[in-house]
Short mmCIF file of all heavy atoms in Angstrom, two decimals:
data_model
loop_
_atom_site.label_atom_id
_atom_site.label_comp_id
_atom_site.label_asym_id
_atom_site.label_seq_id
_atom_site.Cartn_x
_atom_site.Cartn_y
_atom_site.Cartn_z
N ALA A 1 -56.05 -3.82 -28.87
CA ALA A 1 -57.25 -3.52 -28.08
C ALA A 1 -58.46 -4.22 -28.67
O ALA A 1 -59.31 -4.77 -27.94
CB ALA A 1 -57.47 -2.01 -28.03
N GLY A 2 -58.57 -4.22 -30.01
CA GLY A 2 -59.69 -4.90 -30.63
C GLY A 2 -59.67 -6.40 -30.38
O GLY A 2 -60.70 -7.02 -30.11
N ALA A 3 -58.46 -7.00 -30.46
CA ALA A 3 -58.35 -8.43 -30.20
C ALA A 3 -58.71 -8.75 -28.76
O ALA A 3 -59.43 -9.74 -28.48
CB ALA A 3 -56.93 -8.89 -30.52
N ALA A 4 -58.23 -7.93 -27.81
CA ALA A 4 -58.53 -8.17 -26.40
C ALA A 4 -60.02 -8.00 -26.12
O ALA A 4 -60.61 -8.75 -25.35
CB ALA A 4 -57.72 -7.22 -25.53
N ARG A 5 -60.64 -7.02 -26.77
CA ARG A 5 -62.07 -6.80 -26.55
C ARG A 5 -62.88 -8.01 -27.02
O ARG A 5 -63.80 -8.45 -26.34
CB ARG A 5 -62.52 -5.54 -27.30
CG ARG A 5 -64.02 -5.28 -27.23
CD ARG A 5 -64.39 -3.98 -27.94
NE ARG A 5 -63.92 -4.00 -29.32
CZ ARG A 5 -64.55 -4.64 -30.31
NH1 ARG A 5 -65.65 -5.34 -30.08
NH2 ARG A 5 -64.07 -4.58 -31.54
N MET A 6 -62.53 -8.53 -28.19
CA MET A 6 -63.27 -9.69 -28.68
C MET A 6 -63.02 -10.92 -27.81
O MET A 6 -63.92 -11.72 -27.60
CB MET A 6 -62.85 -9.97 -30.13
CG MET A 6 -63.39 -8.93 -31.11
SD MET A 6 -63.05 -9.34 -32.84
CE MET A 6 -61.27 -9.12 -32.89
N ALA A 7 -61.78 -11.05 -27.28
CA ALA A 7 -61.47 -12.19 -26.42
C ALA A 7 -62.23 -12.13 -25.10
O ALA A 7 -62.57 -13.16 -24.51
CB ALA A 7 -59.97 -12.27 -26.16
N MET A 8 -62.49 -10.89 -24.64
CA MET A 8 -63.18 -10.73 -23.35
C MET A 8 -64.68 -10.54 -23.52
O MET A 8 -65.39 -10.28 -22.56
CB MET A 8 -62.60 -9.52 -22.60
CG MET A 8 -61.11 -9.69 -22.27
SD MET A 8 -60.49 -8.26 -21.36
CE MET A 8 -61.48 -8.35 -19.87
N ALA A 9 -65.18 -10.66 -24.75
CA ALA A 9 -66.60 -10.38 -24.97
C ALA A 9 -67.51 -11.35 -24.22
O ALA A 9 -68.63 -11.01 -23.84
CB ALA A 9 -66.91 -10.43 -26.47
N ASP A 10 -67.03 -12.61 -24.02
CA ASP A 10 -67.86 -13.62 -23.37
C ASP A 10 -67.75 -13.60 -21.85
O ASP A 10 -68.43 -14.35 -21.17
CB ASP A 10 -67.49 -15.01 -23.88
CG ASP A 10 -67.76 -15.16 -25.36
OD1 ASP A 10 -68.68 -14.45 -25.86
OD2 ASP A 10 -67.04 -15.94 -26.03
N THR A 11 -66.86 -12.77 -21.34
CA THR A 11 -66.69 -12.70 -19.88
C THR A 11 -67.67 -11.69 -19.31
O THR A 11 -68.33 -10.94 -20.02
CB THR A 11 -65.25 -12.30 -19.52
OG1 THR A 11 -65.04 -10.95 -19.92
CG2 THR A 11 -64.25 -13.20 -20.24
N ALA A 12 -67.73 -11.70 -18.00
CA ALA A 12 -68.65 -10.78 -17.32
C ALA A 12 -68.00 -9.46 -16.97
O ALA A 12 -68.61 -8.63 -16.32
CB ALA A 12 -69.18 -11.45 -16.05
N ASN A 13 -66.76 -9.28 -17.36
CA ASN A 13 -66.05 -8.06 -17.00
C ASN A 13 -66.40 -6.96 -18.00
O ASN A 13 -65.65 -6.67 -18.93
CB ASN A 13 -64.53 -8.32 -17.00
CG ASN A 13 -63.77 -7.21 -16.30
OD1 ASN A 13 -64.30 -6.11 -16.11
ND2 ASN A 13 -62.53 -7.49 -15.94
N GLY A 14 -67.55 -6.37 -17.83
CA GLY A 14 -68.01 -5.33 -18.75
C GLY A 14 -67.17 -4.08 -18.70
O GLY A 14 -66.99 -3.40 -19.72
N THR A 15 -66.64 -3.73 -17.52
CA THR A 15 -65.82 -2.52 -17.41
C THR A 15 -64.57 -2.63 -18.26
O THR A 15 -64.20 -1.70 -18.98
CB THR A 15 -65.44 -2.27 -15.95
OG1 THR A 15 -66.63 -2.15 -15.17
CG2 THR A 15 -64.61 -1.00 -15.82
N ALA A 16 -63.91 -3.79 -18.18
CA ALA A 16 -62.69 -3.98 -18.99
C ALA A 16 -63.02 -3.95 -20.47
O ALA A 16 -62.28 -3.39 -21.28
CB ALA A 16 -62.02 -5.30 -18.62
N THR A 17 -64.15 -4.54 -20.84
CA THR A 17 -64.55 -4.53 -22.25
C THR A 17 -64.79 -3.11 -22.75
O THR A 17 -64.36 -2.72 -23.84
CB THR A 17 -65.81 -5.38 -22.44
OG1 THR A 17 -65.56 -6.72 -22.00
CG2 THR A 17 -66.23 -5.41 -23.91
N ARG A 18 -65.49 -2.30 -21.92
CA ARG A 18 -65.74 -0.91 -22.32
C ARG A 18 -64.44 -0.13 -22.42
O ARG A 18 -64.26 0.69 -23.34
CB ARG A 18 -66.68 -0.24 -21.30
CG ARG A 18 -68.13 -0.70 -21.41
CD ARG A 18 -69.04 0.24 -20.63
NE ARG A 18 -68.66 0.34 -19.22
CZ ARG A 18 -69.12 -0.48 -18.26
NH1 ARG A 18 -69.95 -1.47 -18.59
NH2 ARG A 18 -68.75 -0.33 -17.01
N SER A 19 -63.52 -0.38 -21.49
CA SER A 19 -62.24 0.33 -21.53
C SER A 19 -61.46 -0.01 -22.79
O SER A 19 -60.88 0.86 -23.46
CB SER A 19 -61.41 0.00 -20.28
OG SER A 19 -62.07 0.45 -19.13
N LEU A 20 -61.45 -1.32 -23.13
CA LEU A 20 -60.74 -1.72 -24.33
C LEU A 20 -61.41 -1.16 -25.58
O LEU A 20 -60.74 -0.78 -26.56
CB LEU A 20 -60.67 -3.24 -24.42
CG LEU A 20 -59.72 -3.92 -23.41
CD1 LEU A 20 -59.88 -5.42 -23.47
CD2 LEU A 20 -58.27 -3.52 -23.69
N ALA A 21 -62.73 -1.09 -25.56
CA ALA A 21 -63.44 -0.49 -26.69
C ALA A 21 -63.09 0.99 -26.83
O ALA A 21 -62.93 1.50 -27.95
CB ALA A 21 -64.95 -0.67 -26.52
N ALA A 22 -62.96 1.64 -25.68
CA ALA A 22 -62.57 3.06 -25.72
C ALA A 22 -61.16 3.23 -26.26
O ALA A 22 -60.89 4.14 -27.05
CB ALA A 22 -62.68 3.66 -24.31
N VAL A 23 -60.24 2.32 -25.86
CA VAL A 23 -58.87 2.39 -26.38
C VAL A 23 -58.87 2.18 -27.89
O VAL A 23 -58.20 2.90 -28.65
CB VAL A 23 -57.98 1.34 -25.67
CG1 VAL A 23 -56.61 1.26 -26.36
CG2 VAL A 23 -57.81 1.68 -24.20
N GLU A 24 -59.64 1.19 -28.33
CA GLU A 24 -59.71 0.91 -29.76
C GLU A 24 -60.28 2.11 -30.53
O GLU A 24 -59.75 2.52 -31.57
CB GLU A 24 -60.58 -0.32 -30.00
CG GLU A 24 -60.69 -0.73 -31.46
CD GLU A 24 -61.62 -1.92 -31.64
OE1 GLU A 24 -62.26 -2.35 -30.66
OE2 GLU A 24 -61.71 -2.41 -32.78
N SER A 25 -61.35 2.69 -30.01
CA SER A 25 -61.98 3.83 -30.68
C SER A 25 -61.06 5.04 -30.70
O SER A 25 -60.93 5.73 -31.71
CB SER A 25 -63.29 4.17 -29.98
OG SER A 25 -63.89 5.29 -30.56
N SER A 26 -60.39 5.28 -29.56
CA SER A 26 -59.49 6.42 -29.49
C SER A 26 -58.31 6.26 -30.43
O SER A 26 -57.85 7.23 -31.04
CB SER A 26 -59.01 6.62 -28.05
OG SER A 26 -60.09 6.92 -27.19
N SER A 27 -57.78 5.05 -30.54
CA SER A 27 -56.65 4.84 -31.44
C SER A 27 -57.05 5.07 -32.89
O SER A 27 -56.29 5.63 -33.68
CB SER A 27 -56.08 3.43 -31.25
OG SER A 27 -57.02 2.44 -31.64
N ARG A 28 -58.27 4.64 -33.23
CA ARG A 28 -58.74 4.89 -34.60
C ARG A 28 -58.92 6.39 -34.85
O ARG A 28 -58.56 6.89 -35.92
CB ARG A 28 -60.06 4.15 -34.82
CG ARG A 28 -59.91 2.63 -34.90
CD ARG A 28 -61.26 1.96 -35.02
NE ARG A 28 -61.12 0.50 -35.11
CZ ARG A 28 -62.14 -0.34 -35.08
NH1 ARG A 28 -63.38 0.13 -34.94
NH2 ARG A 28 -61.93 -1.65 -35.16
N ALA A 29 -59.47 7.09 -33.87
CA ALA A 29 -59.64 8.55 -34.01
C ALA A 29 -58.28 9.23 -34.12
O ALA A 29 -58.11 10.19 -34.89
CB ALA A 29 -60.43 9.10 -32.83
N ALA A 30 -57.31 8.73 -33.32
CA ALA A 30 -55.97 9.31 -33.40
C ALA A 30 -55.36 9.10 -34.77
O ALA A 30 -54.69 9.99 -35.32
CB ALA A 30 -55.07 8.69 -32.33
N MET A 31 -55.60 7.93 -35.38
CA MET A 31 -55.07 7.67 -36.72
C MET A 31 -55.72 8.59 -37.75
O MET A 31 -55.06 9.09 -38.67
CB MET A 31 -55.30 6.21 -37.10
CG MET A 31 -54.38 5.23 -36.40
SD MET A 31 -52.63 5.58 -36.75
CE MET A 31 -52.61 5.39 -38.52
N VAL A 32 -57.01 8.86 -37.60
CA VAL A 32 -57.68 9.77 -38.53
C VAL A 32 -57.09 11.17 -38.42
O VAL A 32 -56.76 11.83 -39.43
CB VAL A 32 -59.20 9.80 -38.26
CG1 VAL A 32 -59.87 10.90 -39.08
CG2 VAL A 32 -59.82 8.44 -38.58
N ASP A 33 -56.92 11.66 -37.17
CA ASP A 33 -56.33 12.98 -36.98
C ASP A 33 -54.89 13.02 -37.47
O ASP A 33 -54.44 14.01 -38.04
CB ASP A 33 -56.38 13.37 -35.50
CG ASP A 33 -57.76 13.85 -35.09
OD1 ASP A 33 -58.56 14.14 -35.99
OD2 ASP A 33 -58.03 13.92 -33.87
N LEU A 34 -54.16 11.93 -37.24
CA LEU A 34 -52.76 11.88 -37.67
C LEU A 34 -52.67 11.97 -39.19
O LEU A 34 -51.86 12.73 -39.73
CB LEU A 34 -52.11 10.59 -37.17
CG LEU A 34 -50.65 10.36 -37.61
CD1 LEU A 34 -49.76 11.48 -37.12
CD2 LEU A 34 -50.17 9.01 -37.11
N ARG A 35 -53.50 11.21 -39.89
CA ARG A 35 -53.47 11.27 -41.35
C ARG A 35 -53.86 12.66 -41.85
O ARG A 35 -53.30 13.16 -42.82
CB ARG A 35 -54.43 10.22 -41.93
CG ARG A 35 -53.98 8.78 -41.72
CD ARG A 35 -54.80 7.81 -42.56
NE ARG A 35 -54.42 6.43 -42.31
CZ ARG A 35 -55.06 5.61 -41.49
NH1 ARG A 35 -56.13 6.05 -40.85
NH2 ARG A 35 -54.65 4.38 -41.31
N ARG A 36 -54.82 13.28 -41.18
CA ARG A 36 -55.23 14.62 -41.57
C ARG A 36 -54.08 15.62 -41.40
O ARG A 36 -53.81 16.45 -42.28
CB ARG A 36 -56.44 15.07 -40.74
CG ARG A 36 -57.01 16.41 -41.18
CD ARG A 36 -58.17 16.81 -40.31
NE ARG A 36 -59.32 15.93 -40.50
CZ ARG A 36 -59.85 15.17 -39.56
NH1 ARG A 36 -59.32 15.15 -38.34
NH2 ARG A 36 -60.90 14.41 -39.81
N GLN A 37 -53.37 15.53 -40.28
CA GLN A 37 -52.24 16.43 -40.05
C GLN A 37 -51.10 16.15 -41.03
O GLN A 37 -50.42 17.07 -41.49
CB GLN A 37 -51.74 16.29 -38.60
CG GLN A 37 -52.77 16.68 -37.54
CD GLN A 37 -53.26 18.09 -37.73
OE1 GLN A 37 -52.51 18.99 -38.08
NE2 GLN A 37 -54.56 18.30 -37.50
N LEU A 38 -50.89 14.88 -41.35
CA LEU A 38 -49.85 14.55 -42.33
C LEU A 38 -50.20 15.12 -43.70
O LEU A 38 -49.32 15.60 -44.42
CB LEU A 38 -49.69 13.02 -42.42
CG LEU A 38 -49.06 12.33 -41.19
CD1 LEU A 38 -49.07 10.83 -41.38
CD2 LEU A 38 -47.65 12.83 -40.96
N ASP A 39 -51.48 15.08 -44.06
CA ASP A 39 -51.89 15.67 -45.32
C ASP A 39 -51.62 17.17 -45.34
O ASP A 39 -51.18 17.73 -46.36
CB ASP A 39 -53.38 15.41 -45.57
CG ASP A 39 -53.65 13.96 -45.97
OD1 ASP A 39 -52.69 13.28 -46.38
OD2 ASP A 39 -54.80 13.51 -45.85
N LEU A 40 -51.87 17.83 -44.22
CA LEU A 40 -51.60 19.27 -44.14
C LEU A 40 -50.11 19.55 -44.27
O LEU A 40 -49.69 20.50 -44.94
CB LEU A 40 -52.15 19.85 -42.83
CG LEU A 40 -53.67 19.89 -42.70
CD1 LEU A 40 -54.06 20.39 -41.32
CD2 LEU A 40 -54.27 20.79 -43.78
N LEU A 41 -49.29 18.73 -43.61
CA LEU A 41 -47.84 18.93 -43.71
C LEU A 41 -47.35 18.71 -45.13
O LEU A 41 -46.40 19.35 -45.59
CB LEU A 41 -47.11 17.98 -42.75
CG LEU A 41 -47.13 18.35 -41.27
CD1 LEU A 41 -46.54 17.25 -40.43
CD2 LEU A 41 -46.39 19.65 -41.04
N HIS A 42 -48.02 17.79 -45.84
CA HIS A 42 -47.64 17.53 -47.23
C HIS A 42 -48.23 18.56 -48.19
O HIS A 42 -47.99 18.49 -49.39
CB HIS A 42 -48.11 16.13 -47.66
CG HIS A 42 -47.22 15.03 -47.17
ND1 HIS A 42 -45.89 14.95 -47.52
CD2 HIS A 42 -47.45 13.97 -46.36
CE1 HIS A 42 -45.34 13.88 -46.95
NE2 HIS A 42 -46.28 13.27 -46.24
N GLY A 43 -49.01 19.51 -47.65
CA GLY A 43 -49.60 20.53 -48.51
C GLY A 43 -50.88 20.10 -49.17
O GLY A 43 -51.34 20.74 -50.12
N ARG A 44 -51.49 19.02 -48.70
CA ARG A 44 -52.76 18.54 -49.27
C ARG A 44 -53.89 18.85 -48.29
O ARG A 44 -53.80 18.57 -47.11
CB ARG A 44 -52.71 17.03 -49.53
CG ARG A 44 -51.63 16.61 -50.52
CD ARG A 44 -51.84 15.16 -50.93
NE ARG A 44 -51.75 14.25 -49.81
CZ ARG A 44 -50.64 13.64 -49.43
NH1 ARG A 44 -49.51 13.87 -50.09
NH2 ARG A 44 -50.63 12.81 -48.40
#
C-alpha cells in the first residue's frame, strides 16, 4: 500500500491515494495491536 501510494502521488487520483494511505495506516495499526496481543499471550 505504501509503495502504491508513493507511485500514485503524482497522479490526480486523490481518492485512490487516500484509500491507499488508509490501508497503509490501518495495516500499521493492526500490527501494533497484533504485537500487543502477542505480548499478552506470552505473559508480557
Side-chain angles (χ1 to χ4, degrees):
R5 175 177 56 80
M6 288 186 291
M8 298 181 63
D10 297 332
T11 69
N13 195 342
T15 302
T17 302
R18 286 194 303 272
S19 297
L20 289 173
V23 172
E24 182 183 6
S25 177
S26 297
S27 64
R28 290 176 179 172
M31 285 301 299
V32 172
D33 282 345
L34 177 60
R35 291 193 183 98
R36 185 181 292 118
Q37 298 303 321
L38 290 175
D39 286 342
L40 291 176
L41 284 173
H42 281 300
R44 299 192 299 268

